[in-house]
Amino acid sequence: MIGGAEPGPDGLLRCPWGLATEEYVAYHDGEWGRPVHGDDALYERLCLEAFQSGLSWLTILRRREGFRAAFAGFRIASVAAFTDVDAARLLADPGIIRNRAKIEATLANARTLAGWQAGELDSLIWSYAPDPATRPAPKTISDVPAITEESVALSKALKKRGIRFVGPTTAYALMQACGLVDDHLAQCVARGGTAGA
């Protein structure tokens, strides 16, 4: 089946994209599609998905530790306190993607989220998780959408609350990465969070 699950080095079937590099195998098997909770953890994913826009996810994975170091571990309260000096430091940091608009959005989003109640970001994002029973397992990569009705609604809800750089495609990538949906292919070993179990 073209675009279907493919065998990895260990013979187990995986989503084709998850076999491209060792970093992708580890991310695909251990992280992508697994439920993520907690405001800081979801803020990190939201930021990384925004930085990925227009780039390869591999670029982000390879710089992830650089991002974490540069953005204080993505602790919302810490990033919200960043100053213009910090912004200038970030624009000069080769360990991250030095895109002014994305950096400014990351800082602005932290300041916005710092005013929310604890757990509010988690609750808001997860309120847009669709009922798994309404989503058949994709058989091929062409069955995996780029946006959905839920991601459009999540994007609108976040933007309405002042969150920047989160269009429907970014919102859907966030939903996939954080386990709101399980877009591992039907025959993929990681479908249902079973890889490495």
Side-chain angles (χ1 to χ4, degrees):
M1 180 182 311
I2 295 174
E6 298 176 3
D10 55 6
L12 298 175
L13 294 176
R14 289 179 175 83
C15 303
W17 68 265
L19 295 169
T21 67
E22 288 181 21
E23 293 99 331
Y24 273 157
V25 172
Y27 178 70
H28 168 274
D29 287 5
E31 205 171 339
W32 193 74
R34 304 290 175 94
V36 174
H37 285 282
D39 293 343
D40 289 342
L42 288 166
Y43 168 67
E44 174 183 358
R45 297 301 185 83
L46 185 63
C47 294
L48 294 177
E49 293 295 347
F51 272 103
Q52 185 273 332
S53 181
L55 301 170
S56 156
W57 182 247
L58 187 58
T59 300
I60 303 303
L61 279 182
R62 288 181 172 163
R63 295 182 186 208
R64 194 170 187 184
E65 291 311 312
F67 275 109
R68 286 176 170 162
F71 288 99
F74 289 100
R75 291 181 301 278
I76 293 168
S78 298
V79 179
F82 277 17
T83 65
D84 290 344
V85 172
D86 292 301
R89 169 184 56 81
L90 293 166
L91 284 166
D93 188 338
I96 66 169
I97 305 301
R98 294 174 287 184
N99 177 295
R100 183 179 300 274
K102 293 175 182 181
I103 289 170
E104 288 175 354
T106 300
L107 303 185
N109 289 345
R111 292 178 189 123
T112 296
L113 292 169
W116 292 20
Q117 296 294 316
E120 195 171 347
L121 178 62
D122 189 303
S123 295
L124 176 66
I125 289 174
W126 277 91
S127 73
Y128 288 90
D131 178 353
T134 66
R135 294 180 51 84
K139 293 185 175 138
T140 70
I141 54 173
S142 62
D143 296 332
V144 178
I147 62 170
T148 62
E149 181 180 318
E150 293 87 1
S151 77
V152 171
L154 174 57
S155 171
K156 285 181 181 174
L158 288 167
K159 286 178 179 178
K160 186 176 179 181
R161 299 287 305 274
I163 302 302
R164 294 165 43 185
F165 233 101
V166 60
T169 303
T170 298
Y172 192 64
L174 176 75
M175 293 172 76
Q176 291 174 304
C178 296
L180 280 76
V181 295
D182 184 354
D183 275 346
H184 286 286
L185 301 184
Q187 293 185 311
C188 176
V189 67
R191 176 95 189 153
T194 58

